[in-house]
Structures are given as structure tokens and as C-alpha cells.
Amino acid sequence: MNENINVTFENGKIISVTRNSRVLDILDEFDVPSEEILGAYVNNEISALTKPLLYDCKIRPILKNTNEGGKIYRRSLCLLLACAAHKIFPGKRLIVGSSIDHGYFYTFDDGKTIETPQIEMLLTKMKNLVKQDLPIEPELVSYSQACRIFEETNLSETRKQLEYICMPSILIDTIDGFSDMHYGPVVPSTGYLQVFDLMKYSRGFLLRYPSSEDMSKLQPFVDQPALAKVFSEYKEWGERVGVTTVASLNEVCSEKHHMQDFVDVAETFQTKNISKIASQIAEKKTARVVLIAGPSSSGKTTTSKKLALELLAIGITPKVISLDDYYVGIDRTPKDENGKPDFECIDALDIGLLNQNLIDLFEGKTVQLPSYDFHTSFQYFEEHKKMTLKENEILIMEGIHGLNPKLTAKIPDELKFKIYLSALTQLNLDDHARISTTDNRLIRRIVRDSRYRGRTAAATIASWQSVTKGEKLYIFPFQNNADAVLNTALDYELAVLSSYAIPLLRCVKPEQPEYGVATDLLNFLFKFTHIPESCVPPRSIIREFIGGSDFHY
């Protein structure tokens, strides 16, 4: 076999390297400074810099200040913290929790409050490991060796995963003798991890990391107490029912009777929380409009329908106004930085008309509501489309701008009740690896786009960065304005969605730029034991994405 292979760069340059050379060995061949490179796309697969090159390939760098660069950095930082915790507190199990404003929440498994001196010890150890610039070494070990490693280091949930991932060899990452499961590319050494901090938070602490947009520094901390509270409630619920990781979910799914019970309990718990919000709306008494906001695929439509039923049950009649009907039309829509219509920004909506309609409705007047034609991109009016709001009736409006004060600037706060939705799964892969809320929503979106819009997984992935950019600008900054937060994630849903998403993701080809993300999602979904669609209730939020709902969309 030829000992040399050809490597082709983005600018067309081709070099010949020895087979098994690492990406790390050819950093100087890129057109950007080597210190800006955290990983590489090798034939569009997301790869670590330590990856050996085995065959002819096209290669491009994964840079700092990009989404994928941020993922590699955060994954590496979590491994660094796990290593430090094992060395400082070898008898304790460190457990990762929710994401809170550029930080991951951590606790120990004993449930005791982590005090400031303990946090300072961890931070000092992490900084020392970084100063030593120790290699982070990926290694393929046998199944039995991996079992032994995780047993010896008390990584019980990681060890439990190996009951359901029965491969002859397991990839692990090691820092200074501490090994953990490999979940994706990490940086080559601890010296790459210069920007981080540990901050006391609640009964644990936050591992603070830089934003993907600017990885040179930490952003000022902005607390998200409502989200943190909801996550804590779901985490406690998960602990009560004994399902906190994918491995424990797989354990439940090993028996069909237990599987259905868990599905029903998860659905009941979510419905109970929706009912609680309906009661809060009633208790406010002055509320005349419910504004529901959340990022893409957070389940806004189904939530609004389920909330409507809960309101009816307590004697409040809901009426729905679609914010989509208030688009101003393509001729009046603001342009983005590329000169294209920016339908995501709030000024793409006819805010003046919406506020006047609401004022008139609250005064008991009958109003003419607009409609919007998405084919022609123009607003129009139909004579029959009128609305009057009676005393015991309330409006429900759902859309990405629901929490933005500008949307309903002329409406007094006492007339509004604002709800923020987040698909905030409390499940972890194991003690140290959390499940990304964004990835959860992307999988929902891939399935829904295929079933209802005829889009390929590659097309959905290609547009996802634009979607998440809009969320960061127009949704997340206003989440603390909410009167209530609802978690729309169901802890069993990925075990259902996997059978829909996996065939779609397998169709993404290595020649396509979206292949790397598709491969990452596939590797993630393969960890779930399948739950059949027949287990999903007809009014579940999951039905919004897989079909078969009792609700009409």
C-alpha cells in the first residue's frame, strides 16, 4: 500500500503526507494561524486535530469563534473538570446539569451543597492542569478494559451505558491518567483551555465557558433563575422515577410494560405543569392575552392547544390570534446584512396593527383581522375574518417574538401573561455528558421537516445556523421576561424520534458539508433503545413532529 496520501485544502492546494499523519502535523499548511484552529473537517467529518489521516482527503479547519469550535472547546473543558474532580475528590461522583448563560451547572451525587473552598480547590487544579499543557489522548480500548476503567473510577452511569453499547472496542479520552467516554472531538492538550471559570451557584457551581462568537473572554453573567428552577424540578422528578441518564432510560425500555408506564408518567407530569400555568393565568385575573414564545421546534403549537384545553376546563374560553398573519409583506420587510428579507426580525411584523387590534378587542370592539399569503408574501384582509372578545374569553398568541416588549408595547403588563418554552431535557448521556437542548430541537425539526415539508436532513441542517442565530437575537434575550416557563421536552422522546431521524441522517453523503453534523447526531441517537410510535399518546407534543396527532395543525 502506498505510504503517502494527498490532502487537499480549501484554497485548492494539495500536499502529500505520510499515511497516519495527524491533522496536528500539518497545521502550518492552513491559511489561518494555527492557534485559531481547534479541529478540522476531514471529508466533511468533524475530527480532532489528533486524528490520523488514512486516505486521500479534503480538509478545512474548525476555528475558534464558530459553533463547532465552541462545541469542541466546551467538550474538552468538561473533560478537564472531570479529571480535576476525580483527583481532588476521588470518592465523589460529579454530575453535570443544565446550561445556564454560558455555563454548565454541576453538583456532587451526595446532594450536599458544594462550598466555596471546594470550588476554589477544583479551579486551582484545573488551572494547574492547563499550565502543564498535558496531552489529551484518545485511545481505543477493549470492551472489558473500558468496563474495568469506569468501574475503578466510580463512573457508574458511564459503565451502565456499556450494557447497551456492546461494541468490541470503546473510544476513551485520557488526561493525566484519568479516562472518560469519548463523545466527540476534543482539543489536543490542556494548554488550549485558557478561558474558563468556576462560579458558586445554588447548591453547586457553574463551569463558565466563553461564547462561540468570542472565545477570547468570558461574557458577563446573566442569571436565568426561572429556567434553572424548572430544570431543578425536572431533575428531582427524574431522580424520583429513577431515570436520569440514557442508560437508565434504556434500562426502563428493556421491558415493554415499564416502557409504557414511563411514557405515561412523563406525559402526565408535563400535562400537570401545563395545568399549573393555566391556574396561574386564572389567578392573575387581569390577563386578557397569553403570549407564548420559544425557539424553533420547542412545541409552541401543541402547547398552545393543550393550554387552551386546560383553560376551558377552568371556565376560561381561549381564542387564537396567529402572529404569522401580521407579517407586513415582502415589500416592507427589513433586509438582513446580505440584503435579503429578514423574516425573523420583529419589524417583519405589523406591530402597529397588532397593538391596535388588541386595544380594540379589550375595549369590546369587533376587529377585522389580517391574513398572510406565504406564496405571494403579502398581507390581505377577508371580510369574514372578524373577532370580538367577550368578558370570559382570553387571547392566545404564539410566536418567536412573544416575550419582546416591543411586540405589545401599547398593551399594559397587567393584561398580558407571558410563557417561555424550552425543550430542556434533564437526561444526561452519563454523569459528565449532558444532552444538548439545541440538538434535541434540531432532531425534532429534521423529523418534522421531512414529514411535512419534504425537506432532506441536509437541508434542515444547512438552515439551522441561521435559525439559531435568530434565536440568539430575538428570543433568548427576553426569556427572563416570562411569567412562567414550561419544559416541553419529554425524557423518552429521543428514543421515539431516533427511528425517524436515523434513516434521514444516513442519507447525508460525505460530499455534503452537513455530513459532520449528521454523523454526530447519528452517533448520539444510536445510544438510545427504540420506543415504538404506538406508545406515544395522540395529544403528545411529540405528535407535532412525527404525525398522528388528535390536534389539527
Side-chain angles (χ1 to χ4, degrees):
M1 184 181 288
N2 188 346
E3 288 302 311
N4 288 336
I5 60 171
N6 290 327
V7 177
T8 303
F9 293 82
E10 279 186 290
N11 61 6
K13 179 175 65 175
I14 301 175
I15 64 171
S16 178
V17 302
T18 305
R19 191 184 305 276
N20 283 316
S21 295
R22 303 172 304 167
V23 180
L24 195 62
D25 300 326
I26 59 171
L27 287 185
D28 290 342
E29 300 290 344
F30 289 98
D31 288 336
V32 293
S34 59
E35 60 269 19
E36 294 297 312
I37 303 174
L38 297 181
Y41 295 97
V42 179
N43 287 341
N44 290 317
E45 184 177 5
I46 299 167
S47 304
L49 295 179
T50 52
K51 179 184 176 69
L53 302 173
L54 304 176
Y55 38 75
D56 291 352
C57 57
K58 294 181 179 178
I59 192 167
R60 53 196 171 97
I62 297 176
L63 303 175
K64 291 180 179 178
N65 304 336
T66 64
N67 284 339
E68 287 305 330
K71 287 181 181 179
I72 291 172
Y73 191 90
R74 292 192 295 273
R75 189 182 298 122
S76 307
L77 206 54
C78 291
L79 179 63
L80 177 72
L81 172 60
C83 175
H86 174 71
K87 291 180 179 298
I88 298 293
F89 306 109
K92 293 178 178 287
R93 283 173 51 219
L94 184 70
I95 299 175
V96 69
S98 61
S99 170
I100 301 173
D101 188 54
H102 301 107
Y104 295 143
F105 179 62
Y106 280 86
T107 55
F108 284 126
D109 68 317
D110 58 14
K112 295 179 181 178
T113 297
I114 303 175
E115 304 297 345
T116 300
Q118 294 173 293
I119 297 169
E120 290 174 348
M121 289 169 66
L122 281 172
L123 182 59
T124 299
K125 184 62 177 177
M126 290 177 73
K127 288 181 176 179
N128 285 340
L129 291 169
V130 170
K131 188 176 181 180
Q132 294 176 64
D133 194 22
L134 300 169
I136 303 178
E137 300 171 312
E139 182 184 3
L140 207 56
V141 299
S142 69
Y143 177 85
S144 58
Q145 187 178 355
C147 291
R148 186 170 63 253
I149 288 170
F150 297 142
E151 287 166 5
E152 289 174 352
T153 50
N154 195 30
L155 298 180
S156 55
E157 288 300 319
T158 308
R159 170 62 183 88
K160 192 190 292 185
Q161 273 207 67
L162 298 182
E163 297 298 315
Y164 305 96
I165 307 174
C166 304
M167 305 292 289
S169 58
I170 304 294
L171 190 58
I172 61 174
D173 291 314
T174 301
I175 301 176
D176 196 26
F178 170 80
S179 299
D180 210 342
M181 186 80 85
H182 175 91
Y183 287 112
V186 291
V187 295
S189 67
T190 57
Y192 279 70
L193 304 173
Q194 298 289 330
V195 183
F196 65 91
D197 197 9
L198 300 184
M199 184 185 103
K200 181 84 175 76
Y201 189 85
S202 184
R203 61 187 180 89
F205 64 89
L206 293 178
L207 169 60
R208 302 212 61 228
Y209 52 78
S211 72
S212 295
E213 291 79 19
D214 182 2
M215 297 177 65
S216 66
K217 62 181 185 299
L218 296 177
Q219 299 297 318
F221 177 67
V222 179
D223 199 3
Q224 297 166 346
L227 271 182
K229 181 174 182 292
V230 168
F231 180 85
S232 178
E233 290 170 354
Y234 264 80
K235 199 68 180 175
E236 289 172 6
W237 174 82
E239 290 168 356
R240 286 198 302 272
V241 299
V243 178
T244 58
T245 65
V246 174
S248 53
L249 175 63
N250 290 340
E251 204 169 31
V252 167
C253 293
S254 62
E255 296 184 35
K256 188 171 182 180
H257 174 68
H258 290 159
M259 176 196 298
Q260 188 64 65
D261 283 348
F262 181 71
V263 168
D264 293 341
V265 168
E267 291 283 352
T268 301
F269 186 57
Q270 187 177 84
T271 299
K272 180 181 177 182
N273 286 319
I274 295 173
S275 176
K276 190 187 300 182
I277 291 175
S279 296
Q280 288 178 256
I281 293 169
E283 288 167 6
K284 188 169 182 177
K285 298 185 185 304
T286 58
R288 301 303 310 276
V289 58
V290 177
L291 299 157
I292 301 176
S296 174
S297 301
S298 57
K300 293 186 289 294
T301 304
T302 302
T303 298
S304 65
K305 293 178 181 296
K306 297 183 85 167
L307 179 64
L309 292 176
E310 295 291 341
L311 289 169
L312 278 169
I314 56 177
I316 301 172
T317 302
K319 286 189 172 182
V320 177
I321 285 184
S322 173
L323 284 177
D324 285 353
D325 288 333
Y326 284 86
Y327 278 111
V328 295
I330 197 166
D331 56 332
R332 294 166 55 197
T333 300
K335 303 292 192 293
D336 63 17
E337 65 272 15
N338 299 314
K340 296 180 179 180
D342 185 0
F343 294 107
E344 300 294 315
C345 77
I346 192 168
D347 291 317
L349 297 175
D350 195 337
I351 297 172
L353 177 61
L354 173 63
N355 278 265
Q356 190 57 54
N357 283 169
L358 293 178
I359 290 169
D360 290 343
L361 284 168
F362 299 153
E363 290 178 352
K365 298 177 183 177
T366 298
V367 302
Q368 176 83 55
L369 297 177
S371 297
Y372 189 79
D373 188 328
F374 283 90
H375 296 291
T376 63
S377 297
F378 281 100
Q379 189 184 77
Y380 65 98
F381 293 86
E382 296 176 292
E383 179 61 30
H384 71 277
K385 193 174 179 182
K386 295 181 179 179
M387 180 183 286
T388 307
L389 198 66
K390 298 177 183 176
E391 191 64 33
N392 68 328
E393 294 178 334
I394 193 169
L395 294 175
I396 295 180
M397 299 197 306
E398 55 98 351
I400 66 171
H401 298 294
L403 303 188
N404 189 332
K406 186 175 179 180
L407 181 73
T408 52
K410 295 185 178 180
I411 309 303
D413 284 343
E414 62 265 22
L415 301 182
K416 297 182 278 192
F417 192 94
K418 299 172 290 249
I419 305 172
Y420 178 72
L421 307 186
S422 179
L424 195 70
T425 179
Q426 62 89 19
L427 278 185
N428 288 340
L429 287 168
D430 60 23
D431 287 346
H432 300 156
R434 60 185 296 278
I435 292 176
S436 163
T437 297
T438 303
D439 285 351
N440 194 351
R441 292 190 292 110
L442 174 55
I443 290 165
R444 284 179 170 186
R445 177 82 174 247
I446 286 168
V447 173
R448 185 181 65 187
D449 280 2
S450 172
R451 292 186 67 82
Y452 296 112
R453 300 174 186 176
R455 299 186 81 196
T456 65
T460 300
I461 292 169
S463 64
W464 191 242
Q465 187 167 348
S466 174
V467 171
T468 55
K469 178 183 176 183
E471 292 167 356
K472 290 176 182 177
L473 289 172
Y474 306 124
I475 302 176
F476 298 152
F478 304 106
Q479 59 192 7
N480 281 342
N481 293 344
D483 297 299
V485 174
L486 177 71
N487 182 9
T488 65
L490 290 157
D491 286 341
Y492 74 89
E493 69 176 85
L494 289 166
V496 176
L497 293 171
S498 61
S499 62
Y500 295 87
I502 286 172
L504 301 172
L505 292 164
R506 278 177 165 162
C507 292
V508 182
K509 299 175 176 59
E511 292 83 5
Q512 295 177 280
E514 298 78 26
Y515 181 73
V517 173
T519 302
D520 277 0
L521 293 176
L522 277 171
N523 291 335
F524 167 59
L525 290 172
F526 285 147
K527 294 175 173 59
F528 289 84
T529 297
H530 172 59
I531 293 179
E533 175 265 348
S534 58
C535 291
V536 182
R539 289 185 174 177
S540 171
I541 276 179
I542 301 175
R543 292 287 179 186
E544 184 176 329
F545 307 97
I546 67 173
S549 177
D550 277 356
F551 292 123
H552 296 289
Y553 296 105

